[in-house]
């Protein structure tokens, strides 16, 4: 069974807690991180035993007058070990590089493992791989600004390469292009933060058919749509 990390990003699904429990039980395997909506975390902690739990977002303050927000320590107290930060769907809702930078620092300081997402849109991809690398480099340098000075547990930082045009579209990237970008991210971070052994994931229309190719060029997968279909998700795990 799976040795690389397979992260299930359920997004704003499913609609009820009963369905969430059913889905979690079906996907409760080793090396899996389930990222349900916040509200299901505490109950899923009780209902799962092999998988780890993650959240889909977090706020950067520890507590106080921030209506509707959730702090890193709250997530930890519910049993979450991971948190996704900087997903393109959150960026599309207005999350800026500065906010993402603060969130990454706050989550790492609290001891959470961060699945930090980067990726270019279609217009950039059409300009070629050089433009893609340039864009990713900017995201990395803005969103991880000063992170090396914070004495954070940088080994808790995972980077997910998710080309925006591949997310939820059924049009996954190719393993070849993914490898080029993933290798670029790895060497940029090695140089910038002087740390080797980065864990890099691929996300964007991963399914049972294409999972193997992406697993060969990355350290794991971030799976959206297919993680809502247990049969498909389990097939992805068997490719690992
Ligand atoms: P997708 O989503 O697998 O449905 O493309 C991936 C993601 O948004 O993380």
């Amino acid at each position: 069974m799976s040795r690389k990390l397979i992260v299930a990003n359920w997004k704003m699904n499913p609609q009820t807690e009963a369905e969430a429990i059913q889905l979690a039980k079906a996907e409760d395997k080793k090396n899996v991180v389930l990222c349900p909506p916040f509200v299901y975390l505490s109950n899923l902690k009780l209902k799962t035993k092999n998988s780890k739990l993650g959240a889909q977002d977090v706020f950067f303050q520890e507590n106080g007058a921030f209506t509707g927000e959730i702090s890193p320590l709250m997530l930890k107290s519910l049993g979450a070990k991971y948190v996704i930060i900087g997903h393109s769907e959150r960026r599309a809702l207005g999350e800026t590089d500065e906010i993402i930078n603060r969130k990454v620092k706050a989550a790492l300081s609290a001891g959470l493992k961060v699945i930090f997402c980067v990726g270019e849109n279609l217009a950039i991809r059409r300009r070629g791989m050089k433009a893609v690398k340039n864009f990713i480099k900017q995201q990395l340098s803005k969103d991880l600004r000063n992170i090396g000075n914070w004495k954070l547990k940088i080994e808790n930082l995972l980077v997910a390469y998710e080309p925006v045009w591949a997310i939820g579209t059924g049009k996954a990237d190719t393993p070849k292009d993914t490898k080029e970008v993933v290798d670029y991210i790895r060497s940029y971070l090695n140089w910038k933060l002087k740390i080797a052994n980065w864990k890099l994931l691929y996300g964007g229309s991963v399914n049972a058919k294409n999972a193997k190719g992406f697993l060969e060029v990355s350290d794991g997968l971030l799976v959206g749509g297919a993680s809502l279909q247990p049969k498909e998700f389990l097939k992805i795990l068997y490719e690992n």
Side-chain angles (χ1 to χ4, degrees):
M1 275 290 282
S2 23
R3 264 169 285 123
K4 294 190 172 181
L5 198 67
I6 313 288
V7 183
N9 177 10
W10 292 355
K11 310 192 179 184
M12 201 170 69
N13 300 292
Q15 299 276 68
T16 66
E17 187 174 54
E19 290 168 282
I21 291 169
Q22 215 180 3
L23 189 57
K25 283 185 171 165
E27 298 181 348
D28 183 24
K29 305 286 180 197
K30 285 221 167 75
N31 300 311
V32 164
V33 179
L34 299 175
C35 299
F38 291 131
V39 290
Y40 301 142
L41 280 169
S42 59
N43 213 349
L44 294 196
K45 181 69 201 152
L46 303 174
K47 309 283 181 188
T48 53
K49 50 180 191 293
N50 300 311
S51 54
K52 300 262 188 308
L53 284 177
Q56 299 171 17
D57 187 26
V58 67
F59 196 53
F60 50 75
Q61 297 283 4
E62 283 177 13
N63 54 26
F66 303 103
T67 304
E69 298 292 355
I70 312 280
S71 78
L73 286 179
M74 291 174 189
L75 292 181
K76 278 189 83 180
S77 80
L78 294 185
K81 296 266 185 286
Y82 289 78
V83 60
I84 298 172
I85 297 179
H87 190 281
S88 70
E89 286 155 14
R90 295 217 51 86
R91 292 178 192 259
L93 289 172
E95 199 155 291
T96 62
D97 292 309
E98 198 211 324
I99 293 174
I100 292 168
N101 180 246
R102 295 181 74 177
K103 288 184 172 184
V104 170
K105 286 173 181 163
L108 289 176
S109 314
L112 287 165
K113 288 183 192 279
V114 171
I115 300 161
F116 161 59
C117 304
V118 294
E120 81 289 353
N121 65 23
L122 192 55
I124 296 169
R125 173 55 79 107
R126 284 196 172 128
R127 301 210 309 262
M129 293 308 270
K130 199 164 169 218
V132 170
K133 290 179 198 165
N134 237 329
F135 178 80
I136 303 275
K137 178 176 163 182
Q138 281 175 40
Q139 277 189 327
L140 292 169
S141 83
K142 287 184 199 159
D143 299 354
L144 301 181
R145 203 171 144 254
N146 285 337
I147 217 136
N149 303 339
W150 269 54
K151 300 197 172 56
L152 300 172
K153 276 193 142 190
I154 301 215
E155 60 275 20
N156 280 349
L157 181 64
L158 290 74
V159 183
Y161 172 52
E162 294 211 303
V164 177
W165 50 270
I167 296 177
T169 58
K171 293 187 189 123
D173 199 359
T174 62
K176 179 174 172 284
D177 286 350
T178 295
K179 180 173 185 332
E180 191 172 335
V181 180
V182 160
D183 287 350
Y184 175 76
I185 295 173
R186 199 185 304 282
S187 60
Y188 176 81
L189 291 177
N190 284 352
W191 167 76
K192 177 106 181 153
L193 294 166
K194 311 277 177 294
I195 293 180
N197 298 327
W198 291 94
K199 280 224 180 318
L200 296 174
L201 315 181
Y202 169 78
S205 295
V206 171
N207 58 36
K209 285 208 181 81
N210 64 24
K212 193 165 192 284
F214 290 114
L215 283 165
E216 279 164 9
V217 297
S218 69
D219 303 304
L221 305 171
L222 181 48
V223 185
S227 71
L228 297 173
Q229 305 165 40
K231 272 195 192 148
E232 184 79 7
F233 190 72
L234 292 181
K235 280 192 206 160
I236 292 174
L237 298 186
Y238 284 117
E239 291 300 335
N240 201 354

